[in-house]
Amino acid sequence: MTASRTIRNQAQTMKGRITEELGRVTRNRRLQRRGRTDRVAGSLKQAVEKAKGAFGRSGSGPR
């Protein structure tokens, strides 16, 4: 997993958390949904990158 992808995914997760909280404070459901979507997408991308790294380094995958 490259550092730039990790930082980009973490930034998207943080952006989502901030947007979601802003939507919660302002009672704007659209903003809450957008924030939740960003947060979940960033977390999912991080998990995929971790899985790629784990399987890529082990050498036990199919060839």
Side-chain angles (χ1 to χ4, degrees):
M1 179 168 32
T2 63
S4 64
R5 285 185 184 167
T6 302
I7 292 169
R8 190 178 326 137
N9 295 337
Q10 287 177 348
Q12 183 177 8
T13 303
M14 287 303 299
K15 176 187 164 205
R17 285 183 184 170
I18 291 168
T19 306
E20 186 177 8
E21 189 60 33
L22 184 63
R24 198 173 288 138
V25 168
T26 60
R27 296 182 181 169
N28 185 336
R29 289 187 180 191
R30 184 181 299 161
L31 206 53
Q32 281 180 322
R33 280 194 308 267
R34 189 178 303 149
R36 190 175 310 124
T37 302
D38 277 345
R39 181 176 51 84
V40 170
S43 297
L44 187 60
K45 287 177 185 178
Q46 280 181 297
V48 168
E49 288 297 321
K50 284 183 183 179
K52 277 185 190 177
F55 287 113
R57 287 189 215 123
S58 67
S60 62
R63 291 183 178 222

